[in-house]
Amino acid sequence: MRVWLCSFGYLILLVSVLITTLFINASGSSSSSSASRRGLQKPNKLGGNGFRVKLKHVDHDGKNLTRLERLRRGVVRGKSRLQRLNANGAVGEQVKAPVVAGNGEFLMKLAIGTPPRSLWAIMDTGSDLIWTQCKPCEQCFDQATPIFDPTQSSSFSKISCSHPLCGALPTSTCSTHGCEYLYTYGDSSSTQGVLALDTFTFGDSTQHQVSISGLGFGCGDNNEGDGFSQGAGLVGLGRGPLSLVSQLKEQKFAYCLTAIDESKPSSLLLGSLANINPKTSKDELRTTPLIRNPSQPSFYYLSLQGISVGDTQLSIPKSTFELHNDGSGGVIIDSGTTITYIENTAFTLLKNEFIAQMSLPVDDSGTGGLDLCFNLPAEATQVEVPKLTFHFKGADLELPGENYMIGDLRAGLICLAIGSSRGMSIFGNLQQQNFMVVHDLQEETLSFLPTQCDSI
């Protein structure tokens, strides 16, 4: 695999606000730029059994950042999220919702209430509760859109303490206001308020809109946490009863995330829109089982059996990525963590193998903000980088070079976008970019399909 240094903008790595770009040519790997577009069933904008939501990255609104700068911001957020995750322990219409990338997170566009009030909320496969900030705020963080006022929605109603969703909350209190909740995260972030029902609308003026009545959500009037300010709340897509997926009784959903430096929106697909065409080549599709962890029932666990750098499979002990009897360890796939974090002993092997195979000096300055960076030659036109393959059970996933090597000509660096963790390992969203990632909850599988995500 070669990294090309070019004097013109290209579609892989934005490395300078001037003109220079680092291009990773995934020679012998599954390049996302030439990925299959025929594997997805064509979305039906009218009728059917699913919906689409737009997504955007939170660092794309008016931020003139290089790809490495975006990644550094995501790593800072990701370390906090890693702490949080380690501490935590069917629709009648088709909907396609836009998703945009944020501070390591992707923001999901939706509207709440009657009439609908639009907002962007963090899409999170690592939690369950759907919530937004609500008036009157006792403590609320700044958000770009007006705070939701439940008194202005004719379809808003508070949930009683006897409602099943109230019983699904980890912490709740019964009062004259109904079911009051407190939902905390491992990094001390929290939302507190009343659990309610209202109509949610997905889609925008340029496409078919779908409204779903009676969705349960947290109407938070006391919310705090550094990681929430990019949006107006959060949409949980986890496996618990409070999540959007569970409330819709959907058995399948998928997302397709564009590159971190792309301004084009990504997509979240639910229901039939998440189907993969059965004619898709088996050479392109990678499917692995989903694993359940009773101690962390909301997370999507995968069986990671090994990692290869180039043609060398790392000597990682079999137990390194296993889920332990006490519920600790294991590997989850997560939409809200920017880079992949792997258990520290495995990361040390990975780091050493990259150093051995890269013909570049290691950068010890720490300016790259990642655990392993290399100095780029002053006048280089191309740089050889090794292939990287994750061996999941039943699925060897070879990543395109731009999904794990991030270059910045201005800084003179190329960095490995993977970090170390203790305990749980996380397969992050940078490594998932330009793959359709399909969660099939009925079959208990997760599939990766190389896809040009800005084209769907």
Side-chain angles (χ1 to χ4, degrees):
M1 183 181 297
R2 294 177 180 176
V3 175
W4 295 90
L5 306 180
C6 305
S7 59
F8 52 90
Y10 203 68
L11 58 88
I12 305 244
L13 299 181
L14 177 65
V15 297
S16 172
V17 293
L18 300 175
I19 44 175
T20 43
T21 295
L22 183 65
F23 170 51
I24 295 180
N25 179 21
S27 173
S29 71
S30 52
S31 173
S32 60
S33 60
S34 61
S36 168
R37 300 182 186 182
R38 65 181 181 273
L40 297 175
Q41 292 188 350
K42 199 69 175 177
N44 179 6
K45 293 185 178 181
L46 297 174
N49 296 303
F51 67 82
R52 178 188 301 258
V53 184
K54 278 185 183 176
L55 306 170
K56 72 176 180 180
H57 200 283
V58 296
D59 280 334
H60 283 161
D61 293 336
K63 299 181 178 73
N64 192 14
L65 304 172
T66 69
R67 197 169 195 248
L68 185 57
E69 287 169 340
R70 294 181 197 274
L71 192 64
R72 289 190 193 117
R73 292 164 67 95
V75 168
V76 171
R77 294 185 298 267
K79 289 179 179 177
S80 176
R81 181 170 176 81
L82 183 65
Q83 175 189 1
R84 180 171 95 189
L85 294 179
N86 268 311
N88 286 332
V91 188
E93 304 259 4
Q94 279 195 340
V95 180
K96 175 181 177 180
V99 182
V100 191
N103 283 352
E105 302 88 4
F106 283 78
L107 302 178
M108 175 176 172
K109 189 176 183 181
L110 66 151
I112 304 176
T114 307
R117 308 291 180 180
S118 295
L119 57 89
W120 290 93
I122 296 169
M123 180 189 79
D124 187 10
T125 56
S127 67
D128 293 329
L129 183 68
I130 307 166
W131 64 271
T132 189
Q133 299 197 115
C134 286
K135 292 182 177 180
C137 268
E138 182 178 323
Q139 177 173 324
C140 284
F141 50 80
D142 292 335
Q143 63 180 58
T145 53
I147 293 174
F148 181 69
D149 186 350
T151 64
Q152 300 302 306
S153 173
S154 62
S155 51
F156 177 88
S157 63
K158 296 177 181 177
I159 281 179
S160 69
C161 296
S162 60
H163 195 284
L165 290 181
C166 185
L169 285 163
T171 305
S172 63
T173 304
C174 191
S175 73
T176 55
H177 299 292
C179 178
E180 296 186 353
Y181 74 92
L182 170 62
Y183 203 89
T184 59
Y185 302 90
D187 61 353
S188 300
S189 300
S190 65
T191 175
Q192 187 172 4
V194 63
L195 205 61
L197 300 174
D198 211 331
T199 297
F200 279 60
T201 301
F202 302 92
D204 56 29
S205 58
T206 64
Q207 63 183 31
H208 180 55
Q209 287 189 334
V210 172
S211 293
I212 301 169
S213 61
L215 279 181
F217 74 107
C219 198
D221 58 12
N222 191 335
N223 316 292
E224 54 184 331
D226 295 336
F228 297 141
S229 58
Q230 300 89 16
L234 189 146
V235 176
L237 295 175
R239 307 180 86 169
L242 293 163
S243 77
L244 177 64
V245 177
S246 296
Q247 289 195 57
L248 296 179
K249 295 180 172 56
E250 277 298 343
Q251 293 300 311
K252 188 176 291 187
F253 74 94
Y255 52 78
C256 201
L257 308 178
T258 57
I260 193 171
D261 55 325
E262 288 272 352
S263 59
K264 295 179 181 178
S266 306
S267 293
L268 168 69
L269 308 170
L270 286 93
S272 65
L273 289 182
N275 288 340
I276 292 177
N277 192 318
K279 295 182 180 180
T280 296
S281 170
K282 292 182 180 180
D283 293 337
E284 296 172 322
L285 187 65
R286 299 288 182 269
T287 300
T288 186
L290 285 171
I291 300 172
R292 289 187 178 273
N293 180 3
S295 298
Q296 303 285 0
S298 298
F299 295 159
Y300 297 97
Y301 281 85
L302 304 178
S303 177
L304 179 59
Q305 299 179 327
I307 300 173
S308 290
V309 179
D311 295 326
T312 301
Q313 183 157 350
L314 304 179
S315 300
I316 300 172
K318 183 179 178 181
S319 60
T320 302
F321 299 121
E322 288 182 346
L323 188 59
H324 303 144
N325 292 334
D326 63 359
S328 63
V331 180
I332 68 167
I333 184 168
D334 182 42
S335 66
T337 302
T338 305
I339 69 172
T340 289
Y341 292 91
I342 60 175
E343 202 278 331
N344 187 56
T345 57
F347 177 77
T348 299
L349 293 170
L350 179 75
K351 178 179 178 179
N352 290 340
E353 191 61 33
F354 262 91
I355 292 172
Q357 294 192 32
M358 291 282 289
S359 55
L360 292 174
V362 174
D363 175 71
D364 295 322
S365 68
T367 57
L370 293 158
D371 288 330
L372 179 61
C373 292
F374 300 91
N375 293 306
L376 288 169
E379 302 296 332
T381 57
Q382 63 183 25
V383 176
E384 293 283 348
V385 299
K387 295 182 296 184
L388 179 63
T389 305
F390 282 75
H391 303 286
F392 296 104
K393 184 177 181 180
D396 291 338
L397 187 67
E398 184 181 319
L399 297 180
E402 65 269 23
N403 286 29
Y404 60 92
M405 295 300 291
I406 307 297
D408 191 333
L409 289 180
R410 186 174 60 189
L413 296 174
I414 183 169
C415 300
L416 177 65
I418 295 177
S420 64
S421 72
R422 295 188 181 277
M424 177 191 292
S425 296
I426 301 175
F427 194 69
N429 63 50
L430 182 73
Q431 281 66 45
Q432 301 172 52
Q433 68 184 13
N434 285 316
F435 283 99
M436 179 64 68
V437 182
V438 182
H439 298 65
D440 190 327
L441 306 184
Q442 183 171 357
E443 297 296 326
E444 296 281 338
T445 61
L446 184 132
S447 297
F448 296 94
L449 179 67
T451 305
Q452 192 63 36
C453 291
D454 60 11
S455 68
I456 66 171

